[in-house]
Amino acid sequence: MNDTTMIHIEKDMSSHNSPKVSIIVATYRRKETLKRALQSLITQTYSNFEIIVVDDNADAEWNTEIDKIVNSMKNLDNFEIIYTQNKNNKGSAETRNIGIKLATGEYVTFLDDDDIYLPDKVKKQVEHMTKEGSDFSLTDLWLYDEKDKLIEKRIRDYIKDFSSESLMRYHLMYHMTGTDVMMFKKKYLIDIGLFSSINVGDEFYLMQKAIAGKGIFSYLPGCEVKAYVHSETDGLSSGDGKIKGENELYEYKKKYFDKLTPKEQRYVKMRHYAVIAYAEFRKKKYFSMIKNSCLSLMSSPTKFINLFINRK
């Protein structure tokens, strides 16, 4: 099989004059949730989009399985699917960059292979960006557990000022992230240099670059995505990889502390230690969990309690 296979499916031309959107799905070691993710695209109410599946498994057996999943959509109407396999494992950041480079849409958005879109996700966000004339946008983020129970709503109601300076402050404190809920003009992604080659926190660094690039940002309240939080502790996004990445991110944030008030700095410190405590909890390293929880509490007691209550 060639590195890239094009599957063209007859499309509904009712949105022929609407901007084309590229939905990039980077996948690694997932089958059932990938099927679920792709199935969620079938019900999109916006029809002028393409799906780009980038297979980062770099394993013949896995490649065969992913190829079957992609080809199972051949007979579905209104779909254009680009499928490509990485010869070597490249990680999430570079894998998404490969998808961006293959994209033919004016707008680019992302779907993690274990999450799903609700039917109006693409329609609402691209129409919002078109109306606002924005280069990049963000919605709220809702998190679900493996039993499909809503466990947290990350609402961006703290966004009051859209200047680059204020957006950077918000981002350093609250993480204006979630690849599923980001949408960009492809040209702007190219202009800011795509994802950095960092696989833990890559979406944080991308948003930081987008803000620093001084493009037009817009915020669309509400969420049309279901993002899932998993209990497993393997992989870069959890365990030792998660802790290493979070520590590196915290050191990176310190470079921007002069932009924050002392109170805001304490909030960033509190949040950092809380994240580390949770990662240690997932690893069942309870002494380290308690230690980092105490550091988080001492950094900002009130905010720590609020975070603990709100995030269950």
Side-chain angles (χ1 to χ4, degrees):
M1 177 179 175
N2 295 331
D3 273 4
T4 303
T5 299
M6 297 286 292
I7 304 172
H8 291 281
I9 300 173
E10 185 179 354
K11 296 173 62 175
D12 179 0
M13 300 306 292
S14 63
S15 62
H16 179 71
N17 295 320
S18 302
K20 186 176 183 179
V21 179
S22 299
I23 304 171
I24 296 170
V25 183
T27 187
Y28 178 77
R29 296 297 194 267
R30 286 195 169 107
K31 290 188 291 186
E32 294 307 315
T33 60
L34 175 62
K35 292 177 185 177
R36 181 183 67 184
L38 295 177
Q39 287 290 327
S40 77
L41 302 180
I42 295 173
T43 59
Q44 287 302 296
T45 55
Y46 192 84
S47 58
N48 192 12
F49 67 90
E50 64 182 2
I51 307 165
I52 302 174
V53 178
V54 189
D55 181 348
D56 195 37
N57 288 291
D59 175 275
E61 291 185 11
W62 270 98
N63 292 155
T64 299
E65 292 297 323
I66 303 306
D67 188 36
K68 288 179 182 177
I69 292 170
V70 172
N71 277 283
S72 70
M73 301 183 72
K74 272 186 177 179
N75 296 323
L76 300 175
D77 292 336
N78 312 323
F79 281 91
E80 179 182 349
I81 304 178
I82 300 171
Y83 173 51
T84 185
Q85 299 170 353
N86 293 341
K87 292 182 178 179
N88 301 301
N89 178 261
K90 296 181 180 296
S92 60
E94 182 56 30
T95 296
R96 290 188 182 112
N97 285 344
I98 289 168
I100 294 167
K101 292 171 185 176
L102 289 171
T104 63
E106 180 182 349
Y107 293 88
V108 173
T109 188
F110 307 93
L111 175 59
D112 286 355
D113 62 357
D114 55 341
D115 297 335
I116 65 174
Y117 281 178
L118 299 181
D120 287 333
K121 194 277 182 187
V122 176
K123 181 177 186 291
K124 286 186 175 180
Q125 199 162 10
V126 73
E127 288 181 352
H128 162 78
M129 288 187 67
T130 302
K131 178 181 177 182
E132 298 296 326
S134 52
D135 297 303
F136 64 116
S137 72
L138 190 70
T139 73
D140 298 324
L141 176 62
W142 294 1
L143 301 175
Y144 294 77
D145 65 15
E146 291 162 316
K147 296 181 180 179
D148 215 35
K149 178 182 177 183
L150 178 64
I151 57 175
E152 183 183 349
K153 289 186 178 183
R154 295 186 183 175
I155 299 174
R156 327 284 185 174
D157 54 3
Y158 52 80
I159 301 177
K160 308 295 185 184
D161 183 347
F162 285 66
S163 67
S164 295
E165 294 77 13
S166 294
L167 291 174
M168 189 66 75
R169 277 202 346 271
Y170 302 146
H171 187 43
L172 290 167
M173 293 177 65
Y174 303 111
H175 286 217
M176 293 164 50
T177 56
T179 46
D180 295 333
V181 298
M182 296 173 170
M183 184 177 281
F184 294 81
K185 284 186 176 176
K186 180 185 175 181
K187 182 181 183 302
Y188 192 61
L189 276 173
I190 300 297
D191 289 345
I192 63 175
L194 309 180
F195 283 92
S196 301
S197 298
I198 301 169
N199 288 318
V200 177
D202 53 341
E203 58 192 31
F204 176 90
Y205 295 103
L206 180 68
M207 181 58 74
Q208 186 269 334
K209 289 165 71 173
I211 295 169
K214 299 187 183 299
I216 300 173
F217 169 78
S218 61
Y219 162 55
L220 176 62
C223 183
E224 298 292 330
V225 165
K226 296 178 78 171
Y228 289 89
V229 178
H230 302 283
S231 60
E232 74 268 13
T233 58
D234 57 339
L236 284 172
S237 63
S238 57
D240 291 337
K242 172 70 171 177
I243 292 170
K244 181 176 182 291
E246 286 293 336
N247 284 329
E248 291 174 350
L249 179 56
Y250 181 57
E251 292 302 314
Y252 178 81
K253 285 182 176 182
K254 286 181 180 179
K255 300 176 183 178
Y256 293 87
F257 268 18
D258 61 339
K259 300 180 181 297
L260 302 177
T261 66
K263 183 178 180 181
E264 290 170 339
Q265 292 176 24
R266 289 194 298 273
Y267 180 88
V268 172
K269 187 175 181 180
M270 179 279 300
R271 188 184 187 279
H272 167 69
Y273 285 118
V275 170
I276 298 299
Y278 182 62
E280 296 288 19
F281 169 75
R282 294 178 72 186
K283 293 172 60 186
K284 296 181 171 58
K285 292 190 175 181
Y286 299 117
F287 177 78
S288 184
M289 178 203 73
I290 293 170
K291 172 187 168 184
N292 283 283
S293 295
C294 290
L295 289 170
S296 180
L297 175 63
M298 289 186 293
S299 299
S300 182
T302 302
K303 295 296 184 181
F304 173 82
I305 293 170
N306 288 339
L307 184 71
F308 182 80
I309 293 172
N310 291 334
R311 299 200 175 183
K312 305 175 184 177

